[in-house]
């Protein structure tokens, strides 16, 4: 599993479209929103939690179609399906690799981008915490969507349509954690819901994604 993880990380950096693209998109969102909304700090502070979470969500979405596409094209996916490693484990590893090159950098860079949107000081910790807990769910849900659309022509558009509705609960609770944390309110309930979504997706979706891959490989 470690060898597969390292292989996917190397392919992500060599092929591009992961680490750099996600960060660049996240930065563009943080820069363009003040230009469109206006430079008023009060207005930006109110919408900062939602904007930062939407930016992180869309940045993760950019590279989802690459999770299985390259392996499908060169035949590696067929080898993974017949390898001693269970296909469910391979799905989990690929989702982890996607998070390491997209979700983790976005989480680490989020405080800097929060400055651009005048996020209140009390919200920085909860922004990092919410992204650290919530972005793994984005990757595993995205892996499930990528498994459903692997091998389809122009599957990227269909992937977005399938995945975005599944992202909505994570977006709602993630932004709510940051909003409440920035306001000094109690964040236990939305944080617990966010963690539950990630735990549930991690426990269930690798099996669903593996089943979808087996069907698509027949």
């Amino acid at each position: 599993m470690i060898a597969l993880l390292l292989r996917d990380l190397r392919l992500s950096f060599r092929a591009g479209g992961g680490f750099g693209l996600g960060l660049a998109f996240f930065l563009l969102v943080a820069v363009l929103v003040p230009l469109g909304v206006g430079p008023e700090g009060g207005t930006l502070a109110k919408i900062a939690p939602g904007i930062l979470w939407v930016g992180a969500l869309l940045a993760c979405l950019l590279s989802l179609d690459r999770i299985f596409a390259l392996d499908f094209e060169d035949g590696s996916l067929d080898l993974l399906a017949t390898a001693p490693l269970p296909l469910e484990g391979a799905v989990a590893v690929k989702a982890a690799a996607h998070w390491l090159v997209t979700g983790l950098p976005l989480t680490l860079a989020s405080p800097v981008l929060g400055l651009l949107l005048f996020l209140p000081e009390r919200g920085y910790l909860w922004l990092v915490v919410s992204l650290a807990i919530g972005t793994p769910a984005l990757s595993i849900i995205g892996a499930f969507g990528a498994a459903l659309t692997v091998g389809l022509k122009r599957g990227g558009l269909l992937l977005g349509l399938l995945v975005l509705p599944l992202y909505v609960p994570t977006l709602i609770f993630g932004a709510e954690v940051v909003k409440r944390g920035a306001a000094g309110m109690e964040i236990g309930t939305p944080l617990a819901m966010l963690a539950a979504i990630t735990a549930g997706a991690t426990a269930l979706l690798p099996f669903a994604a593996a089943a979808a891959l087996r069907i698509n490989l027949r």
Side-chain angles (χ1 to χ4, degrees):
M1 293 181 69
I2 295 177
L4 179 59
L5 177 63
L6 294 176
R7 171 185 174 272
D8 279 8
L9 291 176
R10 286 195 297 268
L11 288 175
S12 297
F13 284 103
R14 289 177 183 175
F19 176 81
L21 182 60
L23 277 181
F25 184 87
F26 201 22
L27 176 61
L28 283 175
V29 170
V31 171
L32 292 178
V33 167
L35 296 178
V37 175
E40 294 81 8
T43 301
L44 291 174
K46 290 180 180 179
I47 66 174
I51 294 299
L52 289 168
W53 253 97
V54 168
L57 185 152
L58 295 177
C60 287
L61 186 66
L62 289 177
S63 57
L64 288 182
D65 60 337
R66 305 174 67 86
I67 293 180
F68 298 112
L70 296 178
D71 291 322
F72 181 81
E73 292 170 359
D74 64 12
S76 300
L77 196 56
D78 294 290
L79 296 177
L80 286 175
T82 57
L85 175 66
L87 192 54
E88 292 81 2
V91 171
V93 169
K94 286 185 168 294
H98 179 268
W99 180 77
L100 288 173
V101 299
T102 55
L104 180 58
L106 295 177
T107 300
L108 297 177
S110 60
V112 178
L113 302 184
L115 287 172
L116 300 177
L117 295 176
F118 295 91
L119 181 69
E121 184 177 348
R122 289 178 295 186
Y124 287 99
L125 172 62
W126 298 115
L127 173 63
V128 174
V129 170
S130 67
L131 287 174
I133 294 175
T135 50
L138 301 182
S139 292
I140 194 66
I141 293 172
F144 170 63
L148 290 175
T149 59
V150 67
L152 297 179
K153 293 182 179 179
R154 299 179 181 177
L157 178 59
L158 179 60
L159 174 59
L161 294 175
L162 289 173
V163 166
L164 280 176
L166 300 177
Y167 276 175
V168 171
T170 304
L171 171 64
I172 291 173
F173 290 115
E176 187 67 15
V177 169
V178 184
K179 179 182 176 182
R180 291 193 179 191
M185 300 169 61
E186 190 271 333
I187 50 87
T189 299
L191 188 63
M193 293 298 296
L194 187 63
I197 291 171
T198 298
T202 303
L204 299 176
L205 290 185
F207 296 94
L213 287 175
R214 292 188 180 101
I215 293 173
N216 287 329
L217 291 174
R218 288 177 182 175

